[in-house]
Amino acid sequence: MSVSHRQRSSDISLSVRIGVRISPHFRADKIDDSDPVSTFSYVVRELEKRKIAYLHILEGTEHDDSGDIPLYQRLVSKLTKGGAGPRPGQPFLTPILRQIFSGPIILNSGYDRDSAEKAVTTGVADAISFGRLYISNPDLPERFRLNAPLTEPDTSTFYTNGPEGYIDYPFLADEPRLSQPA
Protein backbone atom coordinates (compact mmCIF):
# COMPACT_ATOMS: atom_id res chain seq x y z
CA MET A 1 0.00 0.00 0.00
CA SER A 2 1.47 3.35 -1.00
CA VAL A 3 2.07 6.16 1.48
CA SER A 4 -0.52 8.38 -0.20
CA HIS A 5 -3.08 5.57 -0.17
CA ARG A 6 -2.48 4.99 3.54
CA GLN A 7 -2.89 8.70 4.15
CA ARG A 8 -6.14 8.88 2.14
CA SER A 9 -7.55 5.86 3.92
CA SER A 10 -6.96 7.49 7.30
CA ASP A 11 -7.65 11.13 6.37
CA ILE A 12 -9.79 12.99 8.89
CA SER A 13 -11.34 16.41 8.93
CA LEU A 14 -9.39 18.68 11.22
CA SER A 15 -12.12 21.20 11.88
CA VAL A 16 -10.78 21.49 15.41
CA ARG A 17 -7.11 21.88 16.23
CA ILE A 18 -5.61 18.66 17.38
CA GLY A 19 -2.13 17.35 17.90
CA VAL A 20 -0.78 14.23 16.25
CA ARG A 21 1.75 11.77 17.66
CA ILE A 22 3.93 9.79 15.30
CA SER A 23 6.37 6.97 16.01
CA PRO A 24 8.66 6.89 12.98
CA HIS A 25 11.14 4.38 14.36
CA PHE A 26 8.72 1.97 15.99
CA ARG A 27 9.65 -1.66 15.36
CA ALA A 28 7.95 -4.58 17.05
CA ASP A 29 5.98 -7.66 16.11
CA LYS A 30 7.28 -7.40 12.54
CA ILE A 31 5.96 -3.83 12.14
CA ASP A 32 8.63 -1.73 10.47
CA ASP A 33 9.01 0.99 7.87
CA SER A 34 11.66 0.46 5.22
CA ASP A 35 11.86 4.18 4.42
CA PRO A 36 10.82 6.29 7.45
CA VAL A 37 12.30 9.49 5.97
CA SER A 38 9.99 9.37 2.92
CA THR A 39 6.98 8.06 4.81
CA PHE A 40 7.05 10.55 7.65
CA SER A 41 8.16 13.51 5.53
CA TYR A 42 5.04 12.90 3.45
CA VAL A 43 2.83 12.49 6.52
CA VAL A 44 4.17 15.68 8.12
CA ARG A 45 3.76 17.68 4.88
CA GLU A 46 0.12 16.62 4.87
CA LEU A 47 -0.27 17.51 8.56
CA GLU A 48 1.34 20.91 7.91
CA LYS A 49 -1.30 21.61 5.25
CA ARG A 50 -3.97 20.93 7.87
CA LYS A 51 -2.39 23.27 10.43
CA ILE A 52 -2.55 20.85 13.34
CA ALA A 53 -1.89 22.26 16.80
CA TYR A 54 1.36 20.36 17.42
CA LEU A 55 3.42 17.39 16.31
CA HIS A 56 4.43 14.89 18.99
CA ILE A 57 7.31 12.70 17.81
CA LEU A 58 8.39 9.53 19.56
CA GLU A 59 12.12 9.78 18.85
CA GLY A 60 14.83 9.30 21.42
CA THR A 61 18.40 10.49 21.57
CA GLU A 62 20.17 7.26 20.65
CA HIS A 63 20.23 4.87 17.73
CA ASP A 64 18.39 1.59 18.36
CA ASP A 65 19.67 -1.68 16.99
CA SER A 66 17.50 -3.91 19.17
CA GLY A 67 15.71 -5.39 16.16
CA ASP A 68 12.25 -6.89 16.00
CA ILE A 69 11.13 -7.97 19.45
CA PRO A 70 7.59 -8.48 20.75
CA LEU A 71 5.83 -5.25 21.65
CA TYR A 72 5.26 -6.10 25.31
CA GLN A 73 8.98 -6.80 25.74
CA ARG A 74 10.00 -3.61 23.92
CA LEU A 75 7.75 -1.46 26.08
CA VAL A 76 9.21 -2.75 29.34
CA SER A 77 12.81 -3.16 28.22
CA LYS A 78 15.38 -0.98 29.93
CA LEU A 79 17.75 -1.57 27.04
CA THR A 80 15.70 -0.14 24.18
CA LYS A 81 14.41 3.01 25.91
CA GLY A 82 11.11 2.18 24.25
CA GLY A 83 12.69 1.45 20.87
CA ALA A 84 12.28 4.95 19.52
CA GLY A 85 15.60 5.66 17.88
CA PRO A 86 16.60 5.17 14.26
CA ARG A 87 18.58 2.14 13.23
CA PRO A 88 22.34 2.69 13.19
CA GLY A 89 23.24 4.60 10.04
CA GLN A 90 19.76 6.09 9.63
CA PRO A 91 19.14 9.77 10.39
CA PHE A 92 17.18 11.18 13.28
CA LEU A 93 13.97 12.47 11.74
CA THR A 94 13.13 15.42 13.97
CA PRO A 95 15.62 17.81 12.31
CA ILE A 96 14.24 16.79 8.90
CA LEU A 97 10.62 17.12 10.02
CA ARG A 98 11.37 20.48 11.70
CA GLN A 99 12.10 21.85 8.20
CA ILE A 100 8.62 20.75 7.05
CA PHE A 101 6.43 21.48 10.08
CA SER A 102 5.98 25.06 11.28
CA GLY A 103 4.09 24.34 14.50
CA PRO A 104 5.33 23.23 17.90
CA ILE A 105 7.21 19.92 18.10
CA ILE A 106 7.15 17.81 21.25
CA LEU A 107 9.62 14.93 21.62
CA ASN A 108 9.43 11.87 23.83
CA SER A 109 11.46 8.73 24.51
CA GLY A 110 14.32 8.22 26.89
CA TYR A 111 15.01 11.88 27.65
CA ASP A 112 16.51 12.97 30.95
CA ARG A 113 16.91 16.49 32.29
CA ASP A 114 20.09 17.30 30.36
CA SER A 115 19.04 15.81 27.01
CA ALA A 116 15.63 17.51 27.31
CA GLU A 117 17.20 20.90 27.98
CA LYS A 118 19.60 20.44 25.08
CA ALA A 119 16.79 19.51 22.66
CA VAL A 120 14.80 22.59 23.63
CA THR A 121 17.66 25.10 23.83
CA THR A 122 19.07 24.02 20.45
CA GLY A 123 15.64 24.33 18.83
CA VAL A 124 15.29 20.66 17.93
CA ALA A 125 12.06 20.60 19.98
CA ASP A 126 9.74 23.10 21.58
CA ALA A 127 9.00 20.77 24.49
CA ILE A 128 9.78 17.31 25.82
CA SER A 129 7.18 15.00 27.30
CA PHE A 130 8.07 12.39 29.86
CA GLY A 131 6.34 9.07 30.45
CA ARG A 132 8.40 6.52 32.36
CA LEU A 133 10.25 9.14 34.41
CA TYR A 134 6.97 10.80 35.39
CA ILE A 135 5.49 7.51 36.53
CA SER A 136 8.40 6.81 38.87
CA ASN A 137 8.90 10.47 39.87
CA PRO A 138 5.49 12.08 40.44
CA ASP A 139 7.25 15.35 41.29
CA LEU A 140 9.56 15.26 38.27
CA PRO A 141 9.69 19.06 37.68
CA GLU A 142 10.74 19.62 41.29
CA ARG A 143 13.42 16.92 41.04
CA PHE A 144 14.73 18.52 37.86
CA ARG A 145 14.72 21.96 39.49
CA LEU A 146 16.69 20.67 42.48
CA ASN A 147 18.83 18.33 40.40
CA ALA A 148 17.64 15.65 42.83
CA PRO A 149 18.10 11.91 42.28
CA LEU A 150 15.51 10.18 40.13
CA THR A 151 13.72 6.98 41.01
CA GLU A 152 14.07 4.37 38.27
CA PRO A 153 10.76 2.89 37.12
CA ASP A 154 10.07 -0.73 37.96
CA THR A 155 9.37 -2.04 34.47
CA SER A 156 8.08 -5.36 35.84
CA THR A 157 4.95 -3.47 36.93
CA PHE A 158 4.25 -1.89 33.52
CA TYR A 159 0.99 -2.93 31.88
CA THR A 160 -0.20 -4.95 34.85
CA ASN A 161 -3.40 -4.83 36.87
CA GLY A 162 -3.47 -2.79 40.03
CA PRO A 163 -1.83 0.37 41.31
CA GLU A 164 1.67 -1.05 41.90
CA GLY A 165 4.16 0.76 39.75
CA TYR A 166 1.79 3.58 38.87
CA ILE A 167 0.76 5.42 42.01
CA ASP A 168 3.04 4.04 44.69
CA TYR A 169 6.28 5.88 43.94
CA PRO A 170 7.36 8.33 46.65
CA PHE A 171 7.48 12.08 46.30
CA LEU A 172 10.86 13.63 47.05
CA ALA A 173 9.51 15.20 50.25
CA ASP A 174 8.40 11.75 51.47
CA GLU A 175 11.68 9.93 50.85
CA PRO A 176 13.78 9.13 53.92
CA ARG A 177 16.76 11.43 54.30
CA LEU A 178 20.22 10.00 54.63
CA SER A 179 21.72 10.63 58.03
CA GLN A 180 24.40 13.28 57.98
CA PRO A 181 27.84 12.29 59.30
CA ALA A 182 28.76 13.93 62.59
Side-chain angles (χ1 to χ4, degrees):
M1 182 185 305
S2 72
V3 173
S4 62
H5 182 78
R6 284 185 277 179
Q7 186 272 328
R8 281 193 307 272
S9 67
S10 64
D11 200 10
I12 60 171
S13 171
L14 297 175
S15 58
V16 293
R17 297 209 15 138
I18 63 169
V20 174
R21 181 174 183 171
I22 60 174
S23 301
H25 306 293
F26 178 83
R27 293 181 303 279
D29 295 329
K30 303 199 184 316
I31 298 170
D32 198 356
D33 189 322
S34 61
D35 188 359
V37 173
S38 294
T39 300
F40 289 94
S41 293
Y42 175 84
V43 168
V44 171
R45 275 192 299 277
E46 293 300 310
L47 294 171
E48 173 68 12
K49 289 177 189 176
R50 289 157 176 80
K51 298 297 179 198
I52 62 170
Y54 62 87
L55 183 61
H56 191 183
I57 305 172
L58 189 66
E59 180 170 70
T61 60
E62 300 174 9
H63 284 88
D64 177 12
D65 62 356
S66 60
D68 183 37
I69 59 176
L71 176 60
Y72 73 92
Q73 288 178 350
R74 180 172 289 282
L75 293 174
V76 301
S77 173
K78 290 182 180 179
L79 302 176
T80 67
K81 291 192 175 190
R87 293 179 189 279
Q90 289 185 339
F92 286 89
L93 289 182
T94 303
I96 295 167
L97 301 178
R98 170 64 87 190
Q99 299 303 310
I100 299 168
F101 187 69
S102 62
I105 291 180
I106 303 168
L107 291 178
N108 177 287
S109 192
Y111 285 85
D112 59 20
R113 177 182 175 215
D114 294 338
S115 59
E117 285 183 3
K118 180 180 179 184
V120 172
T121 58
T122 61
V124 172
D126 297 292
I128 305 296
S129 67
F130 296 92
R132 294 175 184 207
L133 277 184
Y134 238 124
I135 290 173
S136 59
N137 298 279
D139 52 357
L140 187 60
E142 181 69 4
R143 289 176 188 251
F144 280 175
R145 187 180 71 75
L146 297 172
N147 203 22
L150 299 176
T151 302
E152 285 293 318
D154 178 1
T155 58
S156 70
T157 63
F158 285 9
Y159 306 100
T160 59
N161 294 328
E164 290 80 19
Y166 289 99
I167 63 169
D168 58 342
Y169 287 100
F171 283 83
L172 189 60
D174 298 334
E175 290 183 2
R177 302 285 181 225
L178 298 174
S179 60
Q180 297 294 326

